[in-house]
Amino acid sequence: MAAAVEGPELEAAAAAGDASEDADAGSRVRPFLGGNRLSLDLYPGGCQRLLHLCVQQPLQLLQVEFLRLSTHEDPQLLEATLAQLPQSLSCLRSLVLKGGQRRDTLGACLRGALTTLPAGLSGLAHLAHLDLSFNSLETLPACVLRMRGLGALLLSHNCLSELPEALGALPALTFLAVTHNRLQTLPPALGALSTLQRLDLSQNLLDTLPPEIGGLGSLLELNLASNRLQSLPASLAGLRSLRLLVLHSNLLASVPAGLARLPLLTRLDLRDNQLRDLPPELLDAPFVRLQGNPLGEASPDVPSSPVAALIPEMPRLFLTSDLDSFPVTPRGCSVTLACGVRLQFPAGATATPITIRYRLLLPEPGLVPLGPHDALLSHVLELQPHGVAFQQDVGLWLLFTPPRARRCREVVVRTRNDNSWGDLETHLEEEAPQRLWAHCQAPHFSWFLVVSRPVSNACLVPPEGTLLCSSGHPGVKVIFPPGATEEPRRVSMQVVRMAGRELQALLGEPEAAVSPLLCLSQSGPPSFLRPVTVQLPLPSGITGLSLDRSRLHLLYWAPPAVTWDDITAQVVLELTHLYARFQVTHFSWYWLWYTTKNCVGGLARKAWERLRLHRVNLIALQRRRDPEQVLLQCLPRNKVDATLRRLLERYRGPEPSDTVEMFEGEEFFAAFERGIDVDADRPDCVEGRICFVFYSHLKNVKEVYVTTTLDREAQAVRGQVSFYRGTVPVQVPEEAEAARQRKGADALWMATLPIKLPRLRSSEEPRRRAGLSLAPLNLGDAETGFLTQSNLLSVAGRLGPDWPTVALHLGVSYRELQRIRHEFRDDLDGQIRHMLFSWAERQAGQPGAVGLLVQALEQSDRQDVAEEVRAVLELGCRKYQDGIRRTGLAPKDPALPGSSAPQPPEPAQA
């Protein structure tokens, strides 16, 4: 999240990030050194550059008071560079040695290499501000404890498990941040920091606080959120200057009554604890936040130790694939669903027993809300009843495969609330290198999915103004002046990068360049009361002193417009060495371009589409031992070779199609042509055309069975499958017409691949099927659906040599399997049909028979047949429900089928 700076600090904070302005035009270090500020954290090789400056510009460095240096460097080089600071930068007042400029494959900031500091740094006599965040410190360097003038110390995102007692001897310290570390205890000497005004210890492992903390007489803000605190010392009531106390997400069962008598306290955050009782003064206070606490409930019949005692007693449920609901009681429970989803209901989450239902849905464009640069990472989980209010948030874990390495991206869980979609605060937990859990707290039940998006930074803009910075690109800032809004409003930003090579290839111009693409959004009124200043980095390779202003264009796009508008003449562009600043009154998309081309708006639209396009190939393969089984798949180009190597042992077919480009979530379909048709009616099949939706991180694959009305006894059938964009139209163009449209800008046709059904070797099979006499049979029940003789014949015709494995998984004894083989020793089809139908006759009237067949097929590695059986069942159930509605016999509550429901109509034929 971006740091928000309010009030009088706004102007200074905005200026602190600009390290390259007003420098000597003739200096070789113009991009880094400006006045008394030196920024080397945004450039590779910062340590080498600083050492070079120590040799080449020693007098100029003596004027530097503010230094920023990245710690993503070689540790030995970093140590040698830091050792030079006391001699070369003796006037230093602010030193920022941060990691976090680099990100891992999931968009999370990486820690720097800093593990300690040279002892000589204590010689920086004027140092007042030290930032060591996002590093690998396990202990606080000893030299820090000798910096007597230090006023601000930032140690967040390190590996500190304790703080030294000597920390209490820093006489000038006013701000201390040690968030996201591993602190388990605090030193009593911390209470000796008499000048400390702001203390942030959130996201640690603290379970107790020393009573001495009540000695912080100047403390204004105390943040202890997301720890393991079970109680608070009564001495907190002695913090008479305290205005803000944050204690959410702990294990507190009570709080000291004296907190209600703190005279200056304006906000007390106690959300998500175990509080069952509070002093009346706090219960009625408007500044206290209490959501997520079991207030007023009787204590459960378990020991009072909050977590260690509750979790072992919590019921654990592991659901199989044939269950779609489970009960939850006030006692709470931990649930693992068959689809790989985990839920944890804490004790007291519900006051009365409730039945939870779930479904894992295939993603569809109408159900999956994706932004222009988002990517879907999971299927859609639906939890019912929708909108149910739990008294405590429910923990939800969704399993997904991590996306490819991309800079400035993050993974979030997206959910629907009322009529809008929003992203939940998400934490990632690694199960295996290619399997991750997205963990969030579900405030309600609805639809949930995992999405990869550009890193989003947000803040609440108060009337006093604030500063919003991008964590993905520190040079992107938005400065809100005082009076920009009357009421606080929430604003957010996303930054998207475009590789220079792609732009230059698109424009055919080697010197063309663009800035990062900036998207700004807000809540509340569409416009601000006063202009807001936006800062964007100049396009890569361009500096403010060398650019040709006639080639610089500021572009603006406001959805749902089609094109980008060039607004360069409508705004005042203020240029520095590295940045461009301009003012706006409402938010949308902004982009800086540097090019000699005209009509830049149209080119920007093409470039923006290029950012969102995926290069894919289409494949169509036939199973080697069953050519009527066809596998269709749409693959990102980088996955084609590995996928084909895995499939070609069992499948054969033509080379993949030429590369085509598709958007995330784009619909397309496959149409079989020239005598080939789909053999079974499927829910995803419209008049013989198979519908797809492309998602770059999901498996866009389907296996279908095809047939033909042509005479295969005379010759092989040479057909084809063609892929078209969009939903299935009323009429698919013929191949000749599609070929003519191939070069058109809006052509629907993408590719055509051949399909060949070999000539039948004999005509015995049709006669055998025609002469086959079977007793009437409906396998299944009204709840799970029915399979008829025709459906079972279709399954039998596809098992082939796998039938003994399927038989054993169905429970057929090995002795019976041997008897079938002997009785039909020269007839493979007879073996399969006899086994399957004799088993089905024994299962007649037994509940769960169809589920047992599907399970046996999956265990035998015949997922293709299992999916077809599911599709037939789903189609049959749908037709059954339609038949009930047409006859007027549908019950009032469709979820509770009436006992007098009519017999189901004939299921779909496979």
Side-chain angles (χ1 to χ4, degrees):
M1 297 294 292
V5 184
E6 301 181 8
E9 301 176 3
L10 173 60
E11 184 176 352
D18 303 329
S20 59
E21 298 181 24
D22 303 326
D24 181 7
S27 174
R28 295 178 59 189
V29 295
R30 181 185 301 124
F32 323 113
L33 182 58
N36 61 350
R37 304 178 188 276
L38 178 59
S39 289
L40 296 170
D41 57 333
L42 302 181
Y43 302 90
C47 288
Q48 292 180 345
R49 295 176 188 272
L50 182 55
L51 292 175
H52 177 78
L53 290 174
C54 291
V55 176
Q56 299 294 329
Q57 307 283 338
L59 296 179
Q60 201 167 356
L61 285 184
L62 291 176
Q63 304 174 13
V64 172
E65 298 180 357
F66 303 89
L67 172 64
R68 301 177 65 92
L69 186 65
S70 172
T71 55
H72 292 294
E73 300 273 3
D74 177 75
Q76 295 182 349
L77 179 61
L78 181 61
E79 182 178 2
T81 304
L82 296 179
Q84 294 291 323
L85 297 186
Q87 295 78 28
S88 301
L89 293 93
S90 56
C91 296
L92 208 59
R93 294 172 51 202
S94 173
L95 176 59
V96 178
L97 303 173
K98 290 180 62 174
Q101 291 87 5
R102 299 178 183 175
R103 293 179 175 269
D104 61 15
T105 58
L106 301 174
C109 295
L110 294 175
R111 290 190 172 99
L114 190 67
T115 58
T116 187
L117 292 176
L121 282 188
S122 59
L124 294 172
H126 303 284
L127 195 65
H129 174 267
L130 178 61
D131 188 348
L132 303 175
S133 304
F134 285 100
N135 281 295
S136 304
L137 298 174
E138 296 183 359
T139 58
L140 190 61
C143 65
V144 175
L145 304 175
R146 298 193 294 272
M147 297 178 178
R148 309 293 291 178
L150 202 60
L153 177 59
L154 290 79
L155 302 168
S156 300
H157 294 275
N158 276 279
C159 306
L160 299 171
S161 57
E162 61 179 0
L163 295 175
E165 286 281 344
L167 186 65
L170 295 177
L173 197 63
T174 61
F175 176 46
L176 176 62
V178 202
T179 70
H180 291 85
N181 276 272
R182 304 170 184 172
L183 299 179
Q184 300 182 23
T185 59
L186 296 177
L190 191 68
L193 295 171
S194 59
T195 59
L196 194 64
Q197 297 180 6
R198 290 189 293 165
L199 176 60
D200 191 346
L201 299 169
S202 59
Q203 299 283 347
N204 278 284
L205 306 175
L206 298 171
D207 52 12
T208 59
L209 297 177
E212 289 80 2
I213 198 171
L216 299 173
S218 301
L219 198 63
L220 303 177
E221 299 176 9
L222 175 59
N223 190 342
L224 295 163
S226 299
N227 278 281
R228 300 178 179 178
L229 296 173
Q230 302 179 30
S231 61
L232 299 174
S235 60
L236 282 183
L239 301 176
R240 309 298 290 177
S241 300
L242 198 64
R243 300 180 180 180
L244 171 66
L245 178 57
V246 181
L247 294 164
H248 72 73
S249 304
N250 278 282
L251 306 173
L252 297 172
S254 63
V255 297
L259 293 182
R261 295 186 289 274
L262 291 176
L264 301 179
L265 192 63
T266 59
R267 180 182 174 190
L268 175 59
D269 192 342
L270 294 169
R271 294 172 298 156
D272 299 319
N273 278 279
Q274 302 293 326
L275 298 172
R276 298 184 180 276
D277 191 18
L278 274 182
E281 300 92 334
L282 291 179
L283 274 175
D284 301 330
F287 59 85
V288 180
R289 303 183 67 181
L290 295 170
Q291 294 90 336
N293 284 282
L295 288 169
E297 296 182 10
S299 298
D301 187 20
V302 293
S304 59
S305 178
V307 170
L310 283 177
I311 291 181
E313 298 294 331
M314 181 178 291
R316 297 180 180 271
L317 303 178
F318 298 89
L319 303 188
T320 57
S321 58
D322 57 342
L323 295 177
D324 62 355
S325 64
F326 55 91
V328 177
T329 68
R331 187 181 175 189
C333 64
S334 175
V335 183
T336 300
L337 307 182
C339 56
V341 174
R342 301 200 320 246
L343 297 104
Q344 184 159 347
F345 297 82
T350 177
T352 58
I354 186 174
T355 298
I356 305 298
R357 291 181 171 83
Y358 75 93
R359 292 192 300 169
L360 196 65
L361 305 173
L362 293 175
E364 298 178 358
L367 188 60
V368 177
L370 293 178
H373 301 280
D374 294 346
L376 182 65
L377 303 181
S378 74
H379 287 67
V380 182
L381 173 69
E382 181 183 12
L383 294 174
Q384 296 179 336
H386 291 176
V388 62
F390 291 100
Q391 299 181 22
Q392 296 189 55
D393 286 349
V394 176
L396 174 63
W397 286 261
L398 295 170
L399 194 63
F400 70 98
T401 301
R404 293 178 58 199
R406 290 188 178 182
R407 297 178 61 189
C408 303
R409 295 190 71 84
E410 60 188 352
V411 174
V412 295
V413 174
R414 186 162 294 172
T415 185
R416 183 177 177 87
N417 187 12
D418 296 329
N419 294 321
S420 62
W421 289 84
D423 295 339
L424 301 175
E425 182 178 348
T426 305
H427 304 279
L428 303 183
E429 301 176 8
E430 185 172 359
E431 181 183 75
Q434 292 299 319
R435 289 169 64 87
L436 289 174
W437 293 98
H439 173 215
C440 65
Q441 298 295 320
H444 60 274
F445 273 6
S446 178
W447 292 273
F448 300 88
L449 54 147
V450 183
V451 172
S452 170
R453 70 177 188 187
V455 171
S456 179
N457 299 101
C459 71
L460 192 67
V461 180
E464 296 82 10
T466 190
L467 171 68
L468 177 62
C469 300
S470 168
S471 59
H473 196 303
V476 179
K477 301 178 182 178
V478 183
I479 305 169
F480 299 88
T485 178
E486 292 181 347
E487 298 292 335
R489 68 173 76 179
R490 190 167 186 81
V491 299
S492 62
M493 72 159 62
Q494 287 184 324
V495 179
V496 182
R497 299 173 182 265
M498 182 173 190
R501 295 187 303 273
E502 292 188 44
L503 178 71
Q504 292 161 8
L506 177 66
L507 301 183
E509 182 182 358
E511 297 182 358
V514 294
S515 73
L517 172 61
L518 174 64
C519 174
L520 298 173
S521 59
Q522 61 162 329
S523 63
S527 300
F528 289 93
L529 300 179
R530 294 186 59 190
V532 174
T533 301
V534 178
Q535 174 177 293
L536 279 177
L538 290 173
S540 177
I542 307 301
T543 62
L545 296 180
S546 63
L547 64 78
D548 179 356
R549 291 192 70 124
S550 65
R551 298 173 57 183
L552 186 65
H553 303 269
L554 176 62
L555 304 179
Y556 164 84
W557 177 62
V562 177
T563 60
W564 290 72
D565 295 326
D566 189 342
I567 60 171
T568 312
Q570 304 171 28
V571 299
V572 177
L573 278 177
E574 176 188 349
L575 303 181
T576 67
H577 295 299
L578 295 177
Y579 304 111
R581 290 177 179 153
F582 55 93
Q583 292 188 330
V584 298
T585 56
H586 57 279
F587 279 177
S588 191
W589 296 70
Y590 298 94
W591 210 354
L592 275 175
W593 277 53
Y594 192 74
T595 177
T596 58
K597 301 288 185 180
N598 297 321
C599 302
V600 183
L603 296 174
R605 178 190 176 189
K606 294 181 180 179
W608 184 61
E609 289 182 348
R610 181 69 60 87
L611 280 173
R612 300 159 53 221
L613 283 170
H614 298 270
R615 293 168 175 81
V616 302
N617 299 95
L618 302 156
I619 63 173
L621 303 175
Q622 294 174 263
R623 199 174 182 95
R624 291 183 180 273
R625 63 187 181 193
D626 188 359
E628 295 178 355
Q629 180 184 350
V630 180
L631 180 145
L632 305 174
Q633 190 167 7
C634 177
L635 286 166
R637 186 171 58 183
N638 63 298
K639 297 181 180 179
V640 171
D641 292 340
T643 301
L644 289 180
R645 283 195 299 268
R646 187 178 68 252
L647 292 176
L648 288 181
E649 292 183 2
R650 294 176 295 156
Y651 296 87
R652 62 185 175 189
E655 291 293 320
S657 72
D658 293 337
T659 300
V660 297
E661 295 181 332
M662 300 188 74
F663 292 110
E664 183 84 4
E666 182 175 349
E667 295 182 83
F668 66 103
F669 65 93
F672 290 94
E673 301 165 340
R674 294 188 178 178
I676 305 291
D677 198 2
V678 181
D679 190 23
D681 197 1
R682 301 161 49 110
D684 58 353
C685 184
V686 181
E687 297 182 358
R689 296 151 191 168
I690 306 299
C691 304
F692 288 83
V693 182
F694 171 72
Y695 293 106
S696 57
H697 293 87
L698 301 184
K699 293 182 178 180
N700 311 291
V701 58
K702 293 183 182 180
E703 289 194 76
V704 299
Y705 284 90
V706 297
T707 186
T708 180
T709 57
L710 303 179
D711 186 6
R712 289 178 60 190
E713 295 183 15
Q715 61 182 2
V717 177
R718 301 179 183 275
Q720 63 189 25
V721 58
S722 294
F723 295 87
Y724 300 89
R725 298 184 187 274
T727 57
V728 178
V730 177
Q731 189 171 14
V732 178
E734 295 295 333
E735 168 63 13
E737 181 182 350
R740 287 195 299 270
Q741 295 179 355
R742 182 172 182 176
K743 296 183 180 180
D746 299 321
L748 299 179
W749 176 84
M750 292 188 292
T752 295
L753 299 172
I755 297 291
K756 178 182 177 181
L757 294 182
R759 176 182 176 183
L760 290 177
R761 295 184 179 181
S762 69
S763 58
E764 296 178 1
E765 177 63 18
R767 287 198 294 270
R768 280 204 299 264
R769 288 199 179 188
L772 187 65
S773 177
L774 298 170
L777 175 66
N778 274 333
L779 182 66
D781 50 61
E783 292 294 328
T784 59
F786 290 93
L787 293 179
T788 64
Q789 298 97 322
S790 178
N791 300 138
L792 289 176
L793 272 175
S794 179
V795 172
R798 291 172 169 84
L799 291 184
D802 292 332
W803 77 269
T805 307
V806 177
L808 294 174
H809 283 123
L810 285 173
V812 178
S813 66
Y814 186 74
R815 178 177 296 181
E816 182 179 359
L817 189 147
Q818 291 292 85
R819 181 186 62 80
I820 295 173
R821 279 176 167 164
H822 177 74
E823 185 176 350
F824 298 88
R825 51 186 173 273
D826 296 325
D827 185 2
L828 176 62
D829 295 313
Q831 295 175 3
I832 300 171
R833 290 198 304 272
H834 185 85
M835 178 278 297
L836 190 59
F837 277 87
S838 59
W839 171 83
E841 289 173 358
R842 293 194 298 269
Q843 298 294 322
Q846 299 293 327
V850 176
L852 182 60
L853 175 60
V854 172
Q855 183 179 0
L857 291 169
E858 291 176 335
Q859 292 172 343
S860 306
D861 197 26
R862 291 309 302 267
Q863 182 72 28
D864 54 308
V865 185
E867 290 180 355
E868 182 178 349
V869 171
R870 287 198 187 95
V872 170
L873 293 173
E874 183 178 344
L875 182 64
C877 289
R878 190 171 62 190
K879 291 183 176 180
Y880 172 43
Q881 295 296 335
D882 292 342
I884 292 178
R885 284 192 290 270
R886 285 196 302 270
T887 55
L889 296 176
K892 295 182 179 179
D893 185 357
L896 301 172
S899 58
S900 60
Q903 294 298 317
E906 188 75 11
Q909 300 298 314

